[in-house]
Amino acid sequence: MQTANGYFFLFFNQFQGKELQVAGKRAYTLEGIYKVNWSYKMPGNPAVILLFSGKRKSGKDYITDLLQSRIGNDLSKILRLSGPIKQQFALDNGLDYEKLLSASEYKEKYRLEMISWSEAKRAKDSGFFIRAAIEMYEASKYPVWIVSDMRRRSDLQWFKENHGDVLYSVRIKASTEVREKRGWIFTPGVDDAESECDLDNVTEWDQEIENNTESVEDLDPVLIS
C-alpha cells in the first residue's frame, strides 16, 4: 500500500531481522514490517526482490497476486519466470499464450512437452529465461520485483549472484490434502521432475509459509491493506 507521503507497509509475522541495502544505505529492515520511503528517486532498480517458490497448487499465484495488490502496481511487478517460456512455446507450436498462463486444464495438457522444451534451452544457459522474464515484464521500471514461480536451484543461484543484496526468499507449503482439493493430481514426469523437485532439499529460506487455508485472514504471512 502506498500512502500520500510515499510509504507503503507490508507486514509479515515471522521476519528474521534481515537488512537490505539501497545505494549503500539501509532502506528498510525485515523484522515485522517493511517501511520504504519511495518519495525520493531511487538510484536503481530493483530495491528488493521477493522470491517465491512452492509445489503446484500450493498457492503461489494467489499469494503473490495478493501481495502485489497491497504494494501497488505502480511500485511492484510480478515476474513469472515461466512467462517467456510459455510465450515462445506458444509461438513455436501455435498455442494460446494467455491460456498457458492460467491455472487451467489447457496448461496442464501441454506441461510435459513444455518442460522438455525449456530444459533443453536452460541446459545451454541457466539464466536465459530469467533475463528474458526481466525484459518481458519491463522489471527495470519497478523497485519491487515479485518472482512468483522460482523452481530451480540454478534460478536461486542466479539471483544470489546478480542481486544477492536485495533478496528475500519465501517457500510456500501446503498439505497434499489441500493441494488435491485445489485440483492437484500427481502427474508422472511433472511432479517428479526437476521443475517441481529441485528445491525440495533447500532449507535456507528467509521465510516459510504454511498455506493450508483459503482465507486471507488466516494466511501466514498476514498482508495488511
Side-chain angles (χ1 to χ4, degrees):
M1 177 181 70
Q2 187 179 24
T3 61
N5 66 1
Y7 286 90
F8 76 80
F9 298 86
L10 167 65
F11 179 75
F12 281 174
N13 279 345
Q14 299 174 1
F15 282 157
Q16 300 176 11
K18 177 180 177 182
E19 293 184 359
L20 301 182
Q21 303 290 321
V22 175
K25 299 179 180 179
R26 189 176 71 179
Y28 42 86
T29 303
L30 302 181
E31 49 188 12
I33 193 167
Y34 278 113
K35 183 176 182 181
V36 183
N37 187 341
W38 300 110
S39 59
Y40 63 89
K41 183 178 180 181
M42 298 300 295
N45 292 326
V48 60
I49 301 176
L50 305 175
L51 293 176
F52 285 82
S53 69
K55 296 287 193 179
R56 290 199 298 137
K57 300 298 183 180
S58 61
K60 299 186 298 296
D61 289 340
Y62 179 80
I63 289 178
T64 52
D65 286 347
L66 183 63
L67 177 58
Q68 186 185 38
S69 74
R70 298 298 193 266
I71 298 174
N73 294 340
D74 54 337
L75 295 176
S76 62
K77 190 69 173 181
I78 292 179
L79 278 68
R80 306 190 193 282
L81 301 185
S82 60
I85 298 175
K86 293 173 180 176
Q87 184 181 59
Q88 191 59 52
F89 183 75
L91 288 172
D92 287 355
N93 295 276
L95 302 176
D96 188 321
Y97 169 62
E98 293 299 328
K99 286 185 178 180
L100 285 177
L101 284 178
S102 67
S104 65
E105 292 182 8
Y106 187 89
K107 179 179 70 174
E108 298 305 323
K109 179 180 178 181
Y110 295 103
R111 183 183 287 271
L112 273 173
E113 184 180 351
M114 187 163 51
I115 288 174
S116 297
W117 175 86
S118 64
E119 293 297 352
K121 292 277 190 183
R122 192 176 288 100
K124 297 179 181 178
D125 181 357
S126 62
F128 177 83
F129 290 116
I130 300 176
R131 295 193 303 273
I134 292 171
E135 180 178 354
M136 176 180 177
Y137 294 110
E138 299 182 311
S140 62
K141 296 180 179 180
Y142 301 87
V144 181
W145 296 5
I146 305 171
V147 179
S148 65
D149 60 348
M150 184 178 65
R151 296 181 178 277
R152 294 168 177 81
R153 283 174 291 179
S154 60
D155 296 339
L156 181 59
Q157 186 61 33
W158 189 93
F159 279 107
K160 285 182 176 180
E161 291 176 355
N162 291 275
H163 299 287
D165 57 338
V166 295
L167 292 183
Y168 194 82
S169 62
V170 183
R171 182 68 170 177
I172 301 176
K173 298 180 177 181
S175 69
T176 299
E177 180 182 2
V178 168
R179 292 169 63 210
E180 288 174 343
K181 288 180 179 178
R182 294 171 182 165
W184 176 76
I185 300 174
F186 180 84
T187 304
V190 174
D191 292 293
D192 52 4
E194 180 182 85
S195 58
E196 283 295 310
C197 302
D198 198 37
L199 293 172
D200 285 358
N201 294 324
V202 175
T203 59
E204 296 180 356
W205 304 105
D206 292 309
Q207 185 170 3
E208 296 186 7
I209 299 170
E210 293 290 342
N211 182 29
N212 289 317
T213 178
E214 299 300 329
S215 169
V216 174
E217 288 77 13
D218 293 337
L219 273 176
D220 181 14
V222 175
L223 304 174
I224 305 178
S225 58

